[in-house]
Amino acid sequence: MGEMEELRKEADNLKDQITEARKVVQDTTLQEAVAGTTLVGRVQLKTRKTLRGHLAKIYAMHWGTDTNCSKLCVSASQDGKLIVWDTLTTNKVNAIPLKSSWVMTCAYAPSGNMVACGGLDNMCSIYNLKGKDGNVKVMRELAAHTGYLSCCRFLNDSEIITSSGDCTCILWDIETGTEKTIFAGHLGDCMSLAVSPDFKMFISGACDFTAKLWDIREATCRQTFSGHESDINAIGFFPNGNAVITGSDDATCKLYDLRADQELITYQDSGIMCGVTSLAASLSGRLLLAGYDDFNVNIWDMLKAERVGVLAGHDNRVSCIGVSSDGMACCTGSWDSFLKIWN
Amino acid sequence: MEEGSRDQGQQCVGTTDPEEDSPNTIIYRKIEDVIMRLQDEKAGGVAIRTVKSFLSKIPSVVSGADIVQWLMKNLSIEDSAEAIHLGSLIAALGYLFPISDHVLTLKDDGTLYRFQAPYFWPSNCWEPENTDYAIYLCKRTMQNKARLELADYEAENLARLQRAFARKWEFIFMQAEAQVKIDRKKDKAERKILDSQERAFWDVHRPVPGCVNTTEMDIRKCQREKNPQKVKKSVYGVTDDTQTQSSVHQSLPSQPSRKPTREDVQKEISFLNMQLDRHCMKMSKVADSLMSYTEQFMVYDPLASTVEPSNPWISDDMTFWDLEASRDPSQHRVKKWGFSLEEALKDPAGRDAFLKFLESEFSSENLRFWLAVQDLKRRPLENVAARAQEIWQEFLAEGAPSSINLDSHSYELTSHNLKDPGRYSYEDAQEHIFKLMKSDSYARFLRSNIYQDLLLARKKLLSKMENKASPVILCTRMISTTADQSIIFS
């Protein structure tokens, strides 16, 4: 098959050229550039609230963003419940029973009107929180994935993006309940996704050890970032939307820049052996909070790549983490069935 | 042996077969590296010795303090609490254990620990059945030794298992007897060690109530186990055809990987070409942009700096949020509008101020168009088409009352989109208008009185001064008002 060989050679040649192009712009490294910056002082956050109510492992949580619900968050647990919490009073605003208890993800719509969840049922279920009679009901069941639903994020009340164990991500139209766009390209289960601050792009992390940047309207993959040595479990945008942060089973987090098209820095420590399960950036982007399998959250100075704090309070794996939209508080969820609010 | 990054293809300590890799393989290998080094006395490992206790000897033990010290020194861990945390993790996974406790944690004192036998390492993919556990508990009751007495929770477990396996208890009893016979043949000291290692194995797989079960796996990773149909091996070599299979973990086959076709490679080539065409920004520029962004926003980051007036989570005082939501913005908040147009438009008060400024310049149509399009994207589907037409009529049609300036290409594209109007019909136009505002009006806005007054809190200062009016101050006030007002003063 001479043609296949030639094509592969062409692909390899292009890959080499791209590596060269990336090297050319490396007039410095992030580490050198920040040499003059002082390390952020030791960050000591305390647990301000503990949210009790789930009876089994918590797999996911997500903060509300709208000003009316900026202190609200939703959590999903293997006890088959979605709970919407008022994190200030610790009251449960809604406790939604699910058809399938094998839930792996949940999301809060930016408007505050809906929540979504999904898991081993391969579906994304949308719940209307503002129903006329006050009851929370299933509004839509988005079914098309052939693998488990690992993550979902609303763009607005009529569009949602999901990632799945079937290696694809899908943009759905909630009103019609149909798939608008299928984003295929990953060679392993998609574990996590995050939407850019301007809502025009999203990134996905997968078990093929790469992260991909997708253009939502053009329906194409813009860039691929590699470097991790194992599954990418968590992914997020740097607050200005120009860089991507990933967390992996290889016990490291990495920062990739979109415009330089390459990795800027790795967050690792010889004393950390467990995989990263979740991550969130603080409002300014200076701090990176990452949850690990060893029950702790490590806080990193994102520029200097040094640890500046630890949140130790959970008795089992930290499975999810999120920073509220005003940057005031960090929420962690764990397999120990509790959520904690820190600042 | 190097710890940390590993090549996926290499094998470390001998026992695991890459084909049977469990999702936790990476961490097991890292810890096994550490354990091997820990036990290697010649290469700087801890001293494993026999300790004399009352009338007997305790073979092959090491103190918790020694382990903590070794971890701190050899893994460059500065904080002992961190070393204890890591050591406890290693214990909880089953690689070392306290000889006199079922709870697997590491203590930084004279508590004695022993290393687990490689046979029992978690990397061997153990998923021991309840039949094995029953055999184990049963044989413990057969041996008349104080140290083998069952703990309360173990006695309860045994009772439950006896009920569950009532019909095949004879079989289990016989297996237990056989195990006791085998054990008796071993050397006394060796048995002490093996008994403790066996107990530690069960402490991992049947933990004390209240302790974390570290063998639990993330169900998303379970799905990908390469050999989901594998027969579980028995600790005691028991082949039992009534062995249960956990239904959840074995239902789905793993994704078959297919060979890339010619089309796949061609797609890859066009993707790579696109990547190559893209302009890469210099690292120095990227670094600068990241540093300046974090620097600008650090004072607004409650997790990195203290916020005024107080952190509501700590003080239970809502003033901070009230200030943020008010239409009368603080100087601190107004300063943010100067960082970028995006920041200004994020804040409702910022939108108001910018709109007011543009109205004073008779050029508010751009912002009003931008806001109208943002609103369009949030409308329910049934209203979208009508609203899109309204926007066209207001801003883009010939003779439109609030005519905006689009280049011909964008105009054509938008006009085309409106044949089948949708939420995103104006995306291109909106981007153009945004860029226009950013490069033109925004800069002037920041220099304008409307913005500067808010930034320097001039109006507030003025009203404060008015309350303390005196002739001298009155003059000062008149001089400091806006430049185009002449000073009436004689």
Side-chain angles (χ1 to χ4, degrees):
Chain A
M1 282 255 212
E3 201 190 350
M4 268 302 261
E5 264 230 31
E6 268 186 43
L7 285 175
R8 262 192 251 269
K9 261 195 195 163
E10 194 182 340
D12 286 338
N13 183 8
L14 286 170
K15 283 186 195 160
D16 287 339
Q17 285 185 53
I18 289 173
T19 312
E20 270 311 301
R22 285 179 181 161
K23 281 214 187 102
V24 164
V25 296
Q26 276 175 17
D27 54 346
T28 181
T29 62
L30 182 62
Q31 264 168 318
E32 284 164 18
V34 300
T37 318
T38 354
L39 185 66
V40 158
R42 189 129 193 95
V43 177
Q44 279 165 324
L45 305 183
K46 296 207 177 106
T47 304
R48 304 293 171 191
K49 305 281 176 189
T50 300
L51 307 177
R52 294 165 218 274
H54 278 303
L55 304 170
K57 299 191 178 84
I58 292 174
Y59 259 78
M61 68 79 47
H62 194 213
W63 283 98
T65 39
D66 180 66
T67 33
N68 291 333
C69 55
S70 62
K71 294 302 146 260
L72 303 183
C73 74
V74 63
S75 63
S77 158
Q78 304 257 289
D79 62 4
K81 284 235 168 58
L82 267 193
I83 298 181
V84 178
W85 307 85
D86 176 329
T87 55
L88 209 50
T89 60
T90 72
N91 289 338
K92 301 176 191 46
V93 177
N94 299 103
I96 308 164
L98 305 173
K99 278 191 201 169
S100 160
S101 68
W102 300 104
V103 63
M104 294 167 173
T105 181
C106 62
Y108 215 130
S111 63
N113 295 333
M114 305 188 265
V115 288
C117 69
L120 276 191
D121 57 358
N122 298 2
M123 286 193 316
C124 181
S125 306
I126 315 279
Y127 292 83
N128 184 0
L129 295 177
K130 307 280 166 78
K132 284 177 199 144
D133 51 359
N135 282 340
V136 176
K137 281 187 274 201
V138 180
M139 211 179 92
R140 280 287 177 276
E141 280 175 342
L142 308 172
H145 279 301
T146 53
Y148 60 86
L149 206 83
S150 53
C151 192
C152 57
R153 285 293 177 258
F154 284 92
L155 290 182
N156 48 53
D157 280 6
S158 28
E159 292 175 306
I160 190 168
I161 302 183
T162 57
S163 65
S164 164
D166 67 8
C167 311
T168 68
C169 297
I170 294 181
L171 168 70
W172 304 83
D173 180 321
I174 298 175
E175 278 172 309
T176 58
T178 54
E179 313 94 85
K180 266 194 180 167
T181 316
I182 298 177
F183 301 90
H186 275 300
L187 300 173
D189 301 13
C190 293
M191 293 293 282
S192 176
L193 73 94
V195 180
S196 68
D198 63 6
F199 291 92
K200 295 198 170 136
M201 314 230 227
F202 77 93
I203 37 173
S204 58
C207 294
D208 60 4
F209 315 170
T210 69
K212 283 181 184 288
L213 174 74
W214 307 87
D215 184 319
I216 300 177
R217 298 289 142 225
E218 301 283 308
T220 52
C221 170
R222 288 275 201 90
Q223 284 166 269
T224 302
F225 300 99
S226 40
H228 274 297
E229 294 168 349
S230 185
D231 301 352
I232 294 179
N233 297 320
I235 199 162
F237 270 96
F238 188 85
N240 68 1
N242 288 334
V244 166
I245 318 157
T246 52
S248 163
D249 269 345
D250 65 10
T252 72
C253 292
K254 285 179 190 285
L255 181 68
Y256 296 94
D257 190 272
L258 301 185
R259 295 167 303 178
D261 192 34
Q262 55 191 290
E263 178 187 325
L264 291 181
I265 207 158
T266 299
Y267 306 94
Q268 64 189 347
D269 187 305
S270 53
I272 301 176
M273 303 206 170
C274 281
V276 179
T277 59
S278 49
L279 57 82
S282 73
L283 187 132
S284 65
R286 189 59 197 267
L287 300 176
L288 168 64
L289 297 103
Y292 291 75
D293 278 344
D294 67 359
F295 314 174
N296 283 348
V297 169
N298 287 308
I299 306 178
W300 298 86
D301 175 328
M302 244 201 269
L303 296 180
K304 306 282 278 182
E306 284 183 41
R307 270 197 298 167
V308 291
V310 177
L311 302 180
H314 282 293
D315 296 323
N316 205 328
R317 194 179 286 205
V318 173
S319 54
C320 49
I321 193 169
V323 170
S324 61
S325 49
D326 58 7
M328 267 276 153
C330 160
C331 178
T332 52
S334 162
W335 278 12
D336 68 5
S337 80
F338 300 119
L339 293 145
K340 285 179 187 280
I341 309 290
W342 309 76
N343 64 17
Chain B
M1 196 165 283
E2 245 189 343
E3 55 162 358
S5 60
R6 290 199 72 256
D7 186 334
Q8 281 301 104
Q10 279 176 337
Q11 259 198 336
C12 184
V13 184
T15 46
T16 50
D17 176 354
E19 275 304 295
E20 291 209 4
D21 271 3
S22 80
N24 293 329
T25 306
I26 297 175
I27 176 146
Y28 292 153
R29 289 198 180 140
K30 284 184 194 166
I31 291 182
E32 282 162 18
D33 277 350
V34 172
I35 286 285
M36 297 295 278
R37 284 164 58 194
L38 246 181
Q39 291 180 76
D40 192 350
E41 287 189 61
K42 290 181 204 138
V46 288
I48 305 170
R49 9 180 253 294
T50 302
V51 166
K52 283 197 184 140
S53 147
F54 304 123
L55 301 165
S56 63
K57 292 188 202 163
I58 307 175
S60 187
V61 285
V62 60
S63 76
D66 282 350
I67 295 174
V68 173
Q69 260 208 342
W70 187 96
L71 288 173
M72 285 177 71
K73 183 171 158 212
N74 289 276
L75 296 181
S76 318
I77 296 173
E78 285 165 6
D79 184 12
S80 69
E82 218 189 288
I84 293 171
H85 181 82
L86 178 61
S88 292
L89 176 71
I90 294 176
L93 287 172
Y95 286 93
L96 55 87
F97 57 93
I99 58 167
S100 350
D101 200 346
H102 285 287
V103 178
L104 301 169
T105 54
L106 183 69
K107 292 192 191 143
D108 188 10
D109 57 18
T111 313
L112 298 175
Y113 292 82
R114 195 170 277 148
F115 291 100
Q116 182 57 285
Y119 175 69
F120 284 128
W121 280 359
S123 47
N124 284 338
C125 303
W126 288 110
E127 279 177 64
E129 292 293 336
N130 278 333
T131 37
D132 277 353
Y133 189 44
I135 293 169
Y136 169 67
L137 290 176
C138 194
K139 84 165 173 165
R140 284 256 302 268
T141 61
M142 289 175 182
Q143 295 160 299
N144 198 4
K145 282 196 168 65
R147 66 179 165 85
L148 294 174
E149 237 175 52
L150 294 181
D152 287 344
Y153 79 95
E154 287 177 310
E156 275 173 39
N157 285 345
L158 180 58
R160 265 191 306 114
L161 288 167
Q162 278 172 331
R163 284 195 297 274
F165 291 134
R167 274 181 293 149
K168 62 178 194 178
W169 197 255
E170 216 184 293
F171 170 74
I172 289 176
F173 194 84
M174 270 172 33
Q175 294 292 325
E177 277 185 327
Q179 289 297 316
V180 170
K181 270 203 191 131
I182 295 171
D183 289 347
R184 277 208 190 109
K185 291 187 187 148
K186 296 186 186 133
D187 164 73
K188 209 174 164 192
E190 208 189 319
R191 260 173 66 192
K192 262 192 197 167
I193 297 174
L194 289 171
D195 282 349
S196 68
Q197 288 172 330
E198 192 184 13
R199 190 203 73 204
F201 170 80
W202 288 110
D203 285 339
V204 170
H205 292 274
R206 296 289 184 277
V208 180
C211 282
V212 173
N213 185 338
T214 54
T215 61
E216 283 179 324
M217 287 199 292
D218 187 327
I219 51 176
R220 298 171 293 189
K221 311 279 181 166
C222 286
Q223 301 290 312
R224 282 165 51 229
E225 241 175 276
K226 291 200 176 90
N227 188 5
Q229 304 302 325
K230 72 171 179 270
V231 174
K232 296 182 189 163
K233 52 191 176 193
S234 158
V235 184
Y236 304 111
V238 174
T239 45
D240 178 17
D241 35 43
T242 62
Q243 277 190 344
T244 52
Q245 300 198 317
S246 58
S247 48
V248 179
H249 301 176
Q250 300 189 353
S251 47
L252 298 178
S254 46
Q255 293 281 340
S257 51
R258 58 180 183 79
K259 276 200 164 156
T261 63
R262 207 188 89 201
E263 224 184 47
D264 286 336
V265 186
Q266 276 173 334
K267 265 194 200 160
E268 200 190 347
I269 289 173
S270 56
F271 176 73
L272 290 170
N273 267 313
M274 199 180 69
Q275 290 223 286
L276 199 55
D277 279 341
R278 188 206 347 270
H279 168 67
C280 276
M281 193 181 271
K282 281 208 177 121
M283 290 286 258
S284 52
K285 243 187 135 184
V286 161
D288 278 341
S289 128
L290 280 177
M291 289 193 289
S292 57
Y293 186 89
T294 54
E295 212 177 320
Q296 259 185 343
F297 285 90
M298 275 272 276
V299 288
Y300 297 92
D301 186 343
L303 296 178
S305 353
T306 34
V307 286
E308 298 299 319
S310 64
N311 187 323
W313 294 92
I314 302 171
S315 63
D316 266 337
D317 168 23
M318 309 280 178
T319 318
F320 177 83
W321 286 321
D322 291 335
L323 287 177
E324 283 293 305
S326 89
R327 278 322 243 251
D328 182 20
S330 62
Q331 283 172 288
H332 189 63
R333 212 169 118 197
V334 173
K335 192 169 168 208
K336 252 207 254 182
W337 305 347
F339 293 167
S340 69
L341 180 54
E342 288 87 339
E343 280 301 318
L345 294 180
K346 259 192 213 172
D347 189 338
R351 288 200 290 270
D352 287 347
F354 191 36
L355 189 62
K356 196 166 156 199
F357 166 71
L358 291 173
E359 276 167 359
S360 76
E361 287 201 332
F362 304 104
S363 61
S364 65
E365 64 277 358
N366 284 340
L367 181 58
R368 282 189 291 116
F369 170 72
W370 190 88
L371 291 170
V373 175
Q374 286 296 86
D375 173 70
L376 174 70
K377 291 192 250 192
R378 286 192 277 265
R379 290 292 180 102
L381 206 53
E382 52 200 1
N383 301 344
V384 166
R387 187 76 191 108
Q389 289 297 344
E390 279 171 19
I391 292 176
W392 178 267
Q393 291 303 317
E394 175 73 19
F395 297 100
L396 285 162
E398 269 211 37
S402 312
S403 174
I404 58 170
N405 208 349
L406 275 189
D407 66 279
S408 57
H409 181 241
S410 192
Y411 192 87
E412 293 291 314
L413 181 62
T414 309
S415 172
H416 176 80
N417 287 346
L418 277 207
K419 293 200 178 119
D420 181 18
R423 281 199 190 88
Y424 297 96
S425 299
Y426 289 104
E427 268 313 76
D428 185 70
Q430 198 191 27
E431 257 192 66
H432 272 89
I433 293 298
F434 188 84
K435 283 193 188 136
L436 199 62
M437 290 193 291
K438 193 169 179 173
S439 61
D440 189 31
S441 340
Y442 177 60
R444 286 202 305 277
F445 167 63
L446 294 182
R447 293 195 294 267
S448 74
N449 287 326
I450 292 174
Y451 179 71
Q452 289 293 325
D453 282 351
L454 286 172
L455 184 65
L456 303 172
R458 273 193 209 139
K459 296 243 162 74
K460 291 188 187 157
L461 195 62
L462 284 174
S463 60
K464 264 196 196 160
M465 290 177 115
E466 250 157 28
N467 293 336
K468 307 183 205 166
S470 86
V472 177
I473 294 171
L474 215 62
C475 296
T476 329
R477 173 171 47 116
M478 289 181 91
I479 292 168
S480 71
T481 44
T482 49
D484 51 8
Q485 276 188 6
S486 49
I487 298 170
I488 306 157
F489 175 63
S490 56

